[in-house]
Amino acid sequence: MTNETNYRTKANAVFFAAIMVVSMVAVGFAAAPAAAAVTGITVDSAGDVTVGNGAATQDVTFSVDVEDGDTDVTVEIDLSQAVDADVSPSVSDVSTTGDVSATDDGIDGTTHTVLVSDSADDSSASSGTVTVTYEHNTASLTNDDTTSNDGVTFDISDDTGNITGSVAFGLTTAVGDFTVNGVSADDEVTLFDADGNEVETQTATGTSVTFGELVDGEYTASVPGLSTDSATVTDGASTSVTLDTTATVEPNRNLFYQGQELTVSGLIVGDDYELRQETEDGSSFEREINAGDNGEIVIDTSGIDNGDYFLVGTGVAKTDAIFNGQETFEVTTQDLTTEFDEDSVQADDEADLEIDSNRGTYSLNVSADGDLDDDQLIQLFEDDFDYTDDDNEDDLITLDDVSDDTFSANFSNVDDLNTGNYEFTFESTDTTAEDTASIEVTEAGEGELELSEGSYDVAQGDVSEITVELNEVTEGTVVIGNEEDDNYQANISIVDDDEDGEVVLNFNTFTAGDTDTSVDVVTAEGDDEATLVNQDSTAQGLSTLLDTGDYDISVSSTALDGEDATAALEDESDIGSLIISERSTDDMQLWRTTADVRDDVVDVQSDENASAAVGAITSGVEDGVVTETDTAALGETDDVIVHQISASGLEGALESVDDDYSVALEELADNDDIALNFTEENPGANQEAEEFQLGAGEDVTADDLDVVYDDANGDYYVFLSAGDISSDIEDGDEYEVDFTVKNEELIDSDDEDDYETVNSTIGFEDAEISFDLNDDDEVEVENAENQSITGTTNVAPGTDIDVRVRSEDAETNFIKNSEDNAVTADGMFSSQFDFSEESVNDTFTVQTRNTPAPSDDEAEADGVIIEQVDDGTDGEDGEDGEDGEDGDDGNVTDGEDGDDGNVTDGDDGTDDGTDDGTDDGSDGNDTDGDDGGDSEDGTPGFGAIVALVALIAAALLATRRNE
C-alpha cells in the first residue's frame, strides 16, 4: 500500500512538470515577434554624373518605411549599370531625415548595402528619407560617352526583393575649364591636349580666353608671339595659365643713351612692329620696323629724341613690360666733360685729367688729332686706365670702363714726345657723347731729391725716420750704406703717391740685413711707397745687427736699374749720414694715474699719434693726475701703474712683430727676448716669493697693457691696472718690478750674466677714504654758501670722488650731492655745498659714493651745521687813516688801522704786541688769518673767552670817553 502510494505520487509529479515545460514553450512561441522588414521604398531622385571627372559627385535619394522598433534592416542598391558604363562609384556619405537612421554597410561587387533603423521613440512604424552621396571616377569617359536622357538606372530593394524601386540618371558633359590670361584682343589662342591634339582655337576679345567642358587632363595653351604654358584640369575643377611675351631685349634695361642700340628678339618672323613714343595724351608713332626672317629688330637710338618709347605688334603689347620689367624704355643724352687741371705740363711730368659724365661707367675712344700714335697714347694713359688698342685704328685707343674721376696722364712715359699744344678728342664708344681737352707740353724740368737733415742719429736696433724731399718729381732712389766699404747696402725705391713733395722713410736697424723678403726693413708713412729692391742680395746678408757707425745716405731722381743703383749714385742730388750709436737699457720709473686718464691717453694715440699721447701724459704730470709713486691702491677700480721704461734700441724689434706694442711686448716675452716680472718681496718665513710675469697665458697679457712710445726720449710708458697683475696681490704686499732685455743681438751676448735689467719697487694698499673731522669727530659746516667738506684718500690723484649729504631730521629733509671732486696730488679731496637755507644745529650724515673703495668701506661721518661767523668787514668806515674810528661794527680799537674789528692796543691792529703789522683782516678772528676756521679752543670764529674780553674792553672804553 505504501509503495503503491509512492509510485503514484512520483508519477503525478512528473506529469505536472511536463505540463509546465510544455506551457512555457508555448508561451515562448506566442511571445516571439515577427521578422524585421522594410514595408515600403519610394525612389525620389538621382543626380546626373559628369564625364571626364576623377571625382564626380552624385546624390541618390529615396524614402523608406520600417516597422516599429526595426533596426539594421537591409536596403540594397544595384550599381551594375554604372559599372557597365565605366563609372566606378564609391560611397562618400549616407545621411537621413525623418524618423529613420541609416548606416553604410559597404559595396560588395555591384551591390551597395545600406542598413536602416527605426529611430522614433513611439510604438508605430516610421518613415524617413535616405540620401546616399556617391563619388564616381569618370576619368575614362569623354564627352562622346554622354547619354541622352536617363541612360543609367539604379535598382533599390529590400533584402527579399519584394519591396523595390528604381532611379535613373544621365552621363553629362565634362565641367572642367581652362582660362588663358595675358593675351590681347585678336590673338589666336589654341588649346592642345596632353597628346598634342588641338582641342579648340578661340580669338581673344580681351586679355583672357576660357575653354570649357573639359575632361580631366593636362592642356597646353599657345599664342603666336607668346610663351606656351600648360596646366592640368583635375576632378572637373577650373585652372588657368598666364602667357608671357617671348620677346626679349638685349641689353635688358630700360635706359638707353642716345646712339646706343637695342635688339628685340622672339618676334613673329616677317611681321611689322611699331615703335611709339609715350606722350601726355597717349602715344605717337615714331617708326615701323620689320622683324625680318629671324624674328629680330634692332632699334638705333641715334636719331631718336629724348623720351619714353615702347614696342607693339603681334605678341608684344606695352603691358608686357619687356624692358627690364618696365613698359617703356627711356632715351636720354650722355653728357661728357674732359679737362686737364693745368694749361701746361713739363715733358717729364704728369697732368691731372678730369672726366665727368652723367653716366656711370662707359668707354672712350681717345685720339690726339694724329699728333700721337697709338703706342704713345698707351704710354700716356696706361698708368691709370685699362685700355684696348684696335690694330685697325691708327692713332686711337679705347679707354675701357671709365667712371667719373681725376686721372693721371703721364707725359714722362711718352717716347719721342715733342713740345707744343695737344688737343685730345674723347668720344663715347656707343653714344653720341664727345668732348675735347687741350694742354701745352713744355720742356722737361730738372727734378731732384733732397734730405731734410744732413745726418740722422739712431740707436742700434731702433727705427730711423728719414725725410726725403722731392722737387718736380714723384719718384726716386735712396741708397743707405756702401757694400764695398760697409759690407751693407740698401737700394730703396720711393714713390710720393700723395704728391705732397716728401716721403718719410722708416729704416729699421733691427731687421736690416735680413734677406727674408717677408720681413719689413723699410716702410713709408701715409700713402707713399718705399721698397727695398735688393733685400735678397748679398749686400743684405748680415748675421748680426747692423753695426754702429756712420753710413752714407744718397738720394737721386734717377730710378734703380732693377737692383742696381750705379746710375742713381752717379746722379745723386744730395748726400747725408745715418749715425748708428750703441743702445742701452737705462732706468724704470713708476707713476700712477686713473683709468680715465689712461683711456684719454689711449684715445689720443689712436686718434692722432704717439707723440700726441706723450703730450697727454706730460700734461697729466703737470696737472697732478699722473704722479710718481711707490704705492698703488686696490679697490673697486684699481690704480693704474705707469711703467716709464727708458731703453733705446727696442723699437725695431717691436715694429718687426706688430705695430701694436702691447702685442709686440707679449710676443717678445714669449720668445724670451724681453721680460717684465713682478716678484714679491719679504714673502715671510718658509714661503717662496710670488712671481707674476708678462706672456701669453701668463698673469699679465697684451690685453692688460697699453703702451705709448716716446720716440724723442727713448721712453716706453706701459700702462697696467694694479688689479690686473694678479688677484692674489693683497693689502700690504710689496713687489719688485723688473724689465729685462735678453735678446742676444740687442745685448751682443749669449750670456745670461749680460742681461740688461732695470727695476723699481711698488707696494699695494687697499683703497681707503675718510673725511676731515673736528675734535668731536664731526664734519662741521656753517649755514652759508660755499661750504667745504674735505677728506683724504690713498687712491690715485685725479680720481673722482662723489659726496652726498643727507639730513638726519625728518623735518629738515634735505639731500645734497657734489660729484666729480678730483683727488689732488697730496691725496686730498674737497666738495662744495650750499647750507645757506639750513638751520643752525641741524645734523646730517655725509658719505662718499662710487669711489674705488669697496662699497662697505665708503667714508661716512656725522655732521652739524653751526652759525655763520661774521668776518668783521663793514665797508668804508673801517679803513686805515681814519684815526681808528669804525663806528658801526661794535668793536673797540685803539690803534690806527681798525680794519679787523678786534680789540687792539698796538699800532698795527693786532693784539699780540708785535710790530710787524701783519693782519689779514679777512675773517674777524685773532688767529693767523688762515680761513676763518676753528680757534685754538675748538670753537669756530670768536671763542667764548674772546667775546667776553671784547665786551669788557668796550665797557671800559665807553667809561673812559665819558670821563
PDB file of all heavy atoms in Angstrom, residues 466-478:
ATOM      1  N   ILE A 466     113.724 108.982 -41.871  1.00  0.00           N
ATOM      2  CA  ILE A 466     114.481 109.775 -42.840  1.00  0.00           C
ATOM      3  C   ILE A 466     113.495 110.446 -43.782  1.00  0.00           C
ATOM      4  O   ILE A 466     112.740 109.765 -44.489  1.00  0.00           O
ATOM      5  CB  ILE A 466     115.458 108.883 -43.632  1.00  0.00           C
ATOM      6  CG1 ILE A 466     116.413 108.166 -42.671  1.00  0.00           C
ATOM      7  CG2 ILE A 466     116.226 109.691 -44.659  1.00  0.00           C
ATOM      8  CD1 ILE A 466     117.242 107.085 -43.332  1.00  0.00           C
ATOM      9  N   THR A 467     113.490 111.769 -43.794  1.00  0.00           N
ATOM     10  CA  THR A 467     112.568 112.515 -44.644  1.00  0.00           C
ATOM     11  C   THR A 467     113.275 112.943 -45.921  1.00  0.00           C
ATOM     12  O   THR A 467     114.324 113.611 -45.881  1.00  0.00           O
ATOM     13  CB  THR A 467     112.025 113.752 -43.920  1.00  0.00           C
ATOM     14  OG1 THR A 467     111.348 113.329 -42.734  1.00  0.00           O
ATOM     15  CG2 THR A 467     111.065 114.524 -44.803  1.00  0.00           C
ATOM     16  N   VAL A 468     112.697 112.542 -47.071  1.00  0.00           N
ATOM     17  CA  VAL A 468     113.257 112.876 -48.380  1.00  0.00           C
ATOM     18  C   VAL A 468     112.294 113.845 -49.071  1.00  0.00           C
ATOM     19  O   VAL A 468     111.098 113.559 -49.184  1.00  0.00           O
ATOM     20  CB  VAL A 468     113.452 111.619 -49.246  1.00  0.00           C
ATOM     21  CG1 VAL A 468     114.094 111.987 -50.581  1.00  0.00           C
ATOM     22  CG2 VAL A 468     114.299 110.596 -48.509  1.00  0.00           C
ATOM     23  N   GLU A 469     112.828 114.986 -49.509  1.00  0.00           N
ATOM     24  CA  GLU A 469     112.026 115.985 -50.210  1.00  0.00           C
ATOM     25  C   GLU A 469     112.216 115.814 -51.712  1.00  0.00           C
ATOM     26  O   GLU A 469     113.339 115.685 -52.193  1.00  0.00           O
ATOM     27  CB  GLU A 469     112.436 117.380 -49.763  1.00  0.00           C
ATOM     28  CG  GLU A 469     112.184 117.627 -48.274  1.00  0.00           C
ATOM     29  CD  GLU A 469     112.769 118.947 -47.796  1.00  0.00           C
ATOM     30  OE1 GLU A 469     113.541 119.561 -48.571  1.00  0.00           O
ATOM     31  OE2 GLU A 469     112.480 119.344 -46.655  1.00  0.00           O
ATOM     32  N   LEU A 470     111.094 115.796 -52.444  1.00  0.00           N
ATOM     33  CA  LEU A 470     111.128 115.587 -53.895  1.00  0.00           C
ATOM     34  C   LEU A 470     110.690 116.866 -54.598  1.00  0.00           C
ATOM     35  O   LEU A 470     109.610 117.410 -54.306  1.00  0.00           O
ATOM     36  CB  LEU A 470     110.213 114.432 -54.301  1.00  0.00           C
ATOM     37  CG  LEU A 470     110.584 113.043 -53.737  1.00  0.00           C
ATOM     38  CD1 LEU A 470     109.902 112.811 -52.395  1.00  0.00           C
ATOM     39  CD2 LEU A 470     110.193 111.948 -54.725  1.00  0.00           C
ATOM     40  N   ASN A 471     111.512 117.353 -55.517  1.00  0.00           N
ATOM     41  CA  ASN A 471     111.229 118.580 -56.259  1.00  0.00           C
ATOM     42  C   ASN A 471     111.027 118.242 -57.729  1.00  0.00           C
ATOM     43  O   ASN A 471     111.922 117.708 -58.393  1.00  0.00           O
ATOM     44  CB  ASN A 471     112.385 119.578 -56.106  1.00  0.00           C
ATOM     45  CG  ASN A 471     112.634 119.940 -54.656  1.00  0.00           C
ATOM     46  OD1 ASN A 471     111.708 120.248 -53.926  1.00  0.00           O
ATOM     47  ND2 ASN A 471     113.904 119.878 -54.223  1.00  0.00           N
ATOM     48  N   GLU A 472     109.802 118.528 -58.225  1.00  0.00           N
ATOM     49  CA  GLU A 472     109.443 118.331 -59.622  1.00  0.00           C
ATOM     50  C   GLU A 472     109.496 116.869 -60.062  1.00  0.00           C
ATOM     51  O   GLU A 472     109.522 116.570 -61.247  1.00  0.00           O
ATOM     52  CB  GLU A 472     110.321 119.183 -60.551  1.00  0.00           C
ATOM     53  CG  GLU A 472     110.140 120.676 -60.343  1.00  0.00           C
ATOM     54  CD  GLU A 472     110.865 121.501 -61.403  1.00  0.00           C
ATOM     55  OE1 GLU A 472     111.631 120.922 -62.187  1.00  0.00           O
ATOM     56  OE2 GLU A 472     110.641 122.726 -61.442  1.00  0.00           O
ATOM     57  N   VAL A 473     109.550 115.955 -59.112  1.00  0.00           N
ATOM     58  CA  VAL A 473     109.462 114.523 -59.399  1.00  0.00           C
ATOM     59  C   VAL A 473     108.626 113.878 -58.304  1.00  0.00           C
ATOM     60  O   VAL A 473     108.443 114.443 -57.225  1.00  0.00           O
ATOM     61  CB  VAL A 473     110.850 113.841 -59.462  1.00  0.00           C
ATOM     62  CG1 VAL A 473     111.625 114.292 -60.679  1.00  0.00           C
ATOM     63  CG2 VAL A 473     111.635 114.116 -58.188  1.00  0.00           C
ATOM     64  N   THR A 474     108.122 112.696 -58.588  1.00  0.00           N
ATOM     65  CA  THR A 474     107.343 111.960 -57.592  1.00  0.00           C
ATOM     66  C   THR A 474     107.971 110.610 -57.271  1.00  0.00           C
ATOM     67  O   THR A 474     107.446 109.880 -56.443  1.00  0.00           O
ATOM     68  CB  THR A 474     105.906 111.726 -58.099  1.00  0.00           C
ATOM     69  OG1 THR A 474     105.949 111.029 -59.345  1.00  0.00           O
ATOM     70  CG2 THR A 474     105.172 113.055 -58.273  1.00  0.00           C
ATOM     71  N   GLU A 475     109.109 110.292 -57.924  1.00  0.00           N
ATOM     72  CA  GLU A 475     109.776 109.025 -57.669  1.00  0.00           C
ATOM     73  C   GLU A 475     111.273 109.266 -57.563  1.00  0.00           C
ATOM     74  O   GLU A 475     111.794 110.282 -58.051  1.00  0.00           O
ATOM     75  CB  GLU A 475     109.491 108.010 -58.792  1.00  0.00           C
ATOM     76  CG  GLU A 475     108.024 107.664 -58.950  1.00  0.00           C
ATOM     77  CD  GLU A 475     107.794 106.654 -60.062  1.00  0.00           C
ATOM     78  OE1 GLU A 475     108.792 106.118 -60.593  1.00  0.00           O
ATOM     79  OE2 GLU A 475     106.628 106.397 -60.396  1.00  0.00           O
ATOM     80  N   GLY A 476     111.951 108.335 -56.917  1.00  0.00           N
ATOM     81  CA  GLY A 476     113.393 108.466 -56.821  1.00  0.00           C
ATOM     82  C   GLY A 476     114.016 107.282 -56.122  1.00  0.00           C
ATOM     83  O   GLY A 476     113.366 106.257 -55.852  1.00  0.00           O
ATOM     84  N   THR A 477     115.296 107.444 -55.795  1.00  0.00           N
ATOM     85  CA  THR A 477     116.075 106.359 -55.211  1.00  0.00           C
ATOM     86  C   THR A 477     116.788 106.853 -53.955  1.00  0.00           C
ATOM     87  O   THR A 477     117.293 107.976 -53.916  1.00  0.00           O
ATOM     88  CB  THR A 477     117.117 105.848 -56.226  1.00  0.00           C
ATOM     89  OG1 THR A 477     116.445 105.356 -57.380  1.00  0.00           O
ATOM     90  CG2 THR A 477     117.969 104.740 -55.612  1.00  0.00           C
ATOM     91  N   VAL A 478     116.812 106.007 -52.916  1.00  0.00           N
ATOM     92  CA  VAL A 478     117.583 106.256 -51.696  1.00  0.00           C
ATOM     93  C   VAL A 478     118.517 105.067 -51.509  1.00  0.00           C
ATOM     94  O   VAL A 478     118.076 103.904 -51.557  1.00  0.00           O
ATOM     95  CB  VAL A 478     116.663 106.412 -50.467  1.00  0.00           C
ATOM     96  CG1 VAL A 478     117.505 106.626 -49.208  1.00  0.00           C
ATOM     97  CG2 VAL A 478     115.689 107.567 -50.656  1.00  0.00           C
TER      98      VAL A 478
END
